[in-house]
Amino acid sequence: ADRNAQREALCATAFQFVDALQTGYIDDIQNKTGLTMVFQQLGDVPMPKDEWYVRVFQNFVPEGKDFVDFRVFKEIVKQWDEHHLKKKQAREAASGQFGQGQLPPAPPSSVPEGSSMAPSASLASASSAASGSAESSGASSSALESSVVESSLG
């Protein structure tokens, strides 16, 4: 809940800053500036590549328009943030993140033949497959997820 409140506050501040004329809508340049501000202030999500900003704006812009509103701006931030928080949690779970003074558990004495030591590999391939099927659904939030996943894999 705290993360949602933090995101909401950062989005409001950034959107008001880039929408200086208070029209309620921002263009692609303002969108990139606002998103960059939010991601920098969140501090624990990676900065997207330039082409991601272009793709995500195109995915969310209503047909025939060149602007997005605050609701869309917040949705873009939410999806990027939640996607990377899930990736971070998966990495921490896979690596077993141990604090200082703690030792990792002893390795297994033997590994059964045919078992995989890298469970995250199957997650990555499932994620890739899911992102490919989401791409064909058009300009929607699932198209953003596809863009988010693809750009973060690069």
Side-chain angles (χ1 to χ4, degrees):
D2 290 342
R3 183 67 173 208
N4 289 339
Q6 178 190 20
R7 237 183 358 233
E8 180 84 25
L10 291 174
C11 284
T13 302
F15 195 90
Q16 287 170 356
F17 176 79
V18 295
D19 183 24
L21 299 176
Q22 298 182 347
T23 63
Y25 297 93
I26 56 174
D27 66 17
D28 57 338
I29 305 298
Q30 293 166 310
N31 188 58
K32 180 179 178 181
T33 302
L35 292 172
T36 300
M37 290 172 63
V38 173
F39 298 150
Q40 284 175 339
Q41 291 173 334
L42 282 172
D44 57 358
V45 293
M47 296 304 290
K49 295 183 170 99
D50 286 343
E51 56 270 16
W52 178 87
Y53 292 101
V54 173
R55 284 198 317 258
V56 80
F57 187 80
Q58 290 168 345
N59 286 343
F60 271 89
V61 108
E63 193 153 334
K65 304 284 185 205
D66 292 323
F67 300 96
V68 294
D69 61 14
F70 181 60
R71 181 189 58 78
V72 167
F73 181 79
K74 284 192 309 187
E75 182 62 24
I76 294 169
V77 168
K78 177 182 175 199
Q79 287 192 24
W80 180 257
D81 187 38
E82 288 181 353
H83 173 75
H84 285 285
L85 288 176
K86 283 178 191 163
K87 283 183 70 171
K88 181 181 175 187
Q89 289 167 349
R91 275 194 312 270
E92 287 173 357
S95 66
Q97 294 289 317
F98 299 101
Q100 270 187 323
Q102 290 181 310
L103 292 174
S109 55
S110 66
V111 177
E113 195 144 81
S115 71
S116 170
M117 291 298 285
S120 60
S122 62
L123 293 174
S125 61
S127 172
S128 297
S131 71
S133 63
E135 207 166 23
S136 62
S137 64
S140 67
S141 58
S142 63
L144 167 69
E145 186 61 27
S146 173
S147 295
V148 166
V149 170
E150 287 171 18
S151 72
S152 64
L153 294 175

